[in-house]
Amino acid sequence: MTTLLRIDSSTRVDGSHTRALGDAAQAQWQAANPDGDVITRNVPDGSIPYISQNTIAGFFTPPGDQTPEMKEATALSDQLIAELNAADLLLITAPLYNFGVPAALKAWVDQITRIGHTFSYTDGAFQGLAKTTRAVVICGYGSGDYLAGQPRAASNFLEPYLRFLLGFIGIEDVQVVSVQSTAADADTVAHNMDKARADLAHVI
């Protein structure tokens, strides 16, 4: 079965522009894959904790040598990586928070970026191991001029970080759709959202 894994990271549930675009992307994907399965993770809901000492120790300990505490600490990581590897398409919706990714999204990233599972390090070189090959990332910006070649591009650590991170774990096809100036007047926001929806129709 074809599977979409959707990761929402905006703290706002109502009034979130990235979530609204995620809904549009999901609807487009489901129209093309009527029998497909959708897994949704609302990461700001607190279901994904920050990694702990036992989590890190468990990541670097062979399964047969893990203590019960390590196994408990890495169980969620196992589940999240299984979800990722089962997905044919990864959809991430992410607003820019203080020039970077939301903390809740970083918590998910830290759980799925795991040596021996989504990347390896051999003979001085990293290699991505994730089985998912394609991702669509929706980025939202309250003001404008954050994209490549624009005046605020140097302070945009959202899109470049996610592109690098996904490539690092082996997802080679990463397409990004952005909406800017979401805090502007209603007409500007409506225009920018319509453009983003049209862009999604091409990439989905």
Side-chain angles (χ1 to χ4, degrees):
M1 178 181 290
T2 305
T3 301
L4 169 69
L5 173 60
R6 176 175 172 177
I7 309 295
D8 287 321
S9 63
S10 175
T11 300
R12 292 196 299 176
V13 176
D14 298 324
S16 167
H17 297 91
T18 55
R19 286 180 186 268
L21 292 175
D23 291 342
Q26 180 177 328
Q28 292 165 1
W29 183 88
Q30 288 181 304
N33 301 274
D35 297 323
D37 187 28
V38 178
I39 300 171
T40 302
R41 284 279 179 181
N42 177 35
V43 295
D45 66 4
S47 58
I48 301 177
Y50 301 128
I51 57 174
S52 66
Q53 171 66 36
N54 282 329
T55 314
I56 297 173
F59 283 178
F60 288 92
T61 302
D65 297 329
Q66 288 183 348
T67 65
E69 292 77 13
M70 290 178 188
K71 291 179 181 179
E72 181 180 0
T74 57
L76 178 60
S77 173
D78 293 338
Q79 180 182 352
L80 296 175
I81 290 171
E83 289 176 355
L84 177 64
N85 284 332
D88 299 280
L89 175 64
L90 170 64
L91 173 64
I92 296 176
T93 69
L96 181 77
Y97 281 179
N98 300 312
F99 309 109
V101 298
L105 181 56
K106 184 57 164 59
W108 178 81
V109 165
D110 289 344
Q111 293 281 359
I112 61 96
T113 308
R114 182 173 169 187
I115 192 165
H117 292 259
T118 53
F119 75 94
S120 63
Y121 183 74
T122 305
D123 296 329
F126 290 104
Q127 181 177 354
L129 302 176
K131 295 179 181 178
T132 303
T133 59
R134 183 170 180 241
V136 172
V137 178
I138 297 171
C139 294
Y141 305 88
S143 60
D145 295 331
Y146 279 105
L147 304 187
Q150 296 180 343
R152 294 192 181 96
S155 58
N156 177 9
F157 299 98
L158 176 65
E159 177 184 340
Y161 170 76
L162 290 173
R163 280 188 180 276
F164 176 85
L165 184 281
L166 295 174
F168 177 79
I169 63 173
I171 303 177
E172 298 180 355
D173 183 357
V174 179
Q175 295 172 292
V176 177
V177 172
S178 297
V179 59
Q180 298 197 88
S181 301
T182 60
D185 61 274
D187 288 342
T188 298
V189 173
H191 171 78
N192 292 348
M193 289 290 285
D194 285 344
K195 181 180 183 304
R197 289 187 187 96
D199 292 340
L200 283 170
H202 290 291
V203 303
I204 296 294

